[in-house]
């Protein structure tokens, strides 16, 4: 598949786009990244390739689009299956990985913490803390969510780690104090080149959140 054309429609600060970047890096796939302007006009290519949701990320493989980050990561794992797997080969473990990645997708919802205020923000904060409490328990003393090997669930969650400081800043809590195992796990993940080069600088994320809050009129 050396001649494959791979294009990623992305947005620099998107946790969902970062998932795809990590998966492509893990598989050592060369691709062209095209930055979308999500706060302005969406490109004709994005609207054509994802006409239903009109959202990034979209992986375009030889002209065919694949949408939704977790679906894209699974697609990458299946297409380039001659390289290190991202999901377990055992059917039960594979199902468990999909369950927890789906849990992350549905429950790690920081919007209310970052963009809300008052009671709405407090309720969102409590829900986020409860979600991380569950994930802390699931991780336990394992180095990665799947055990000894970095994989699908780790990819689904680690992209939020560059947003952790923003969560703390606006939620007024400490990730390290509340969730020491998740904090150490994130540091461990960032030692991988695929993760380190795919995540954004937390300071830039903070600046984006501040500007976006102004754009929303929250400040």
């Amino acid at each position: 598949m050396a001649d494959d054309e791979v294009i990623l429609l992305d947005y620099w600060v998107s946790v969902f786009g970062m998932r795809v970047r990590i998966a492509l890096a893990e598989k050592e796939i060369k691709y062209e990244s095209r930055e979308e302007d999500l706060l302005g006009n969406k490109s004709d290519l994005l609207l054509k390739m994802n006409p239903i949701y009109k959202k990034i990320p979209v992986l375009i493989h030889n002209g065919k689009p694949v949408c939704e980050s977790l679906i894209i990561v699974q697609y990458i794992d299946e297409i380039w299956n001659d390289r290190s797997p991202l999901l377990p080969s055992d059917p039960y473990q594979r199902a468990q990985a999909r369950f927890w990645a789906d849990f992350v997708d549905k429950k790690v919802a920081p919007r209310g913490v970052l963009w809300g205020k008052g009671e709405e923000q407090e309720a969102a904060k409590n829900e986020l803390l409860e979600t991380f409490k569950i994930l802390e328990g699931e991780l336990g003393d394992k180095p990665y969510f799947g055990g000894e090997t970095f994989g699908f669930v780790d990819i689904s969650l680690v992209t939020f780690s560059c947003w952790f400081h923003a969560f703390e800043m606006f939620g007024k809590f400490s990730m390290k104090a509340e969730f020491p195992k998740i904090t150490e796990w994130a540091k461990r993940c960032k030692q991988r080149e695929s993760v380190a080069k795919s995540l954004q600088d937390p300071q830039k994320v903070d600046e984006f959140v501040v500007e976006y809050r102004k754009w929303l009129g929250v400040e």
Side-chain angles (χ1 to χ4, degrees), residues 85-104:
L86 303 177
L87 281 100
S89 57
D90 178 78
Y92 179 75
Q93 293 179 359
R94 198 176 182 89
Q96 289 299 301
R98 284 172 169 155
F99 172 86
W100 284 107
D102 183 66
F103 177 84
V104 170

Side-chain angles (χ1 to χ4, degrees), residues 17-211:
M18 288 183 232
R19 288 172 174 173
V20 181
R21 286 175 237 163
I22 292 172
L24 289 167
E26 283 286 325
K27 296 285 187 173
E28 299 181 339
I29 306 301
K30 293 181 180 179
Y31 67 98
E32 177 188 348
S33 180
R34 296 190 186 179
E35 186 80 358
E36 289 289 329
D37 179 10
L38 297 190
L39 301 183
N41 296 320
K42 297 179 181 181
S43 73
D44 291 339
L45 184 59
L46 175 60
L47 299 178
K48 178 183 177 182
M49 292 296 170
N50 190 358
I52 305 302
Y53 293 120
K54 304 177 179 63
K55 293 180 179 178
I56 57 93
V58 179
L59 186 78
I60 307 171
H61 181 209
N62 293 332
K64 297 178 180 179
V66 184
C67 305
E68 299 294 298
S69 63
L70 293 183
I71 293 174
I72 296 171
V73 172
Q74 292 177 78
Y75 177 84
I76 290 169
D77 197 37
E78 291 170 5
I79 290 293
W80 290 281
N81 58 10
D82 57 333
R83 307 173 194 189
S84 299
L86 303 177
L87 281 100
S89 57
D90 178 78
Y92 179 75
Q93 293 179 359
R94 198 176 182 89
Q96 289 299 301
R98 284 172 169 155
F99 172 86
W100 284 107
D102 183 66
F103 177 84
V104 170
D105 231 21
K106 291 175 178 175
K107 301 297 289 183
V108 181
R111 283 181 169 273
V113 176
L114 298 173
W115 322 132
K117 53 185 177 180
E119 292 182 2
E120 177 195 358
Q121 187 179 43
E122 188 65 22
K125 169 189 168 181
N126 291 336
E127 185 174 347
L128 187 63
L129 290 174
E130 182 60 28
T131 295
F132 275 116
K133 181 179 178 181
I134 293 170
L135 290 168
E136 179 100 342
E138 173 59 21
L139 177 63
D141 295 322
K142 303 189 297 290
Y144 301 105
F145 278 93
E148 297 297 320
T149 307
F150 177 82
F152 189 51
V153 182
D154 304 296
I155 291 173
S156 74
L157 182 61
V158 74
T159 57
F160 286 94
S161 65
C162 57
W163 288 72
F164 282 179
H165 187 261
F167 296 172
E168 295 174 323
M169 184 165 57
F170 292 101
K172 295 180 174 57
F173 68 91
S174 167
M175 285 292 298
K176 184 176 181 179
E178 298 279 353
F179 312 108
K181 292 179 179 179
I182 291 287
T183 303
E184 287 305 310
W185 160 85
K187 290 179 181 178
R188 190 177 304 117
C189 290
K190 289 175 186 176
Q191 292 174 1
R192 300 182 71 84
E193 183 182 359
S194 64
V195 176
K197 73 179 187 180
S198 299
L199 299 188
Q200 287 296 331
D201 180 346
Q203 185 175 343
K204 291 183 178 179
V205 174
D206 290 350
E207 291 169 359
F208 170 81
V209 173
V210 170
E211 289 303 312

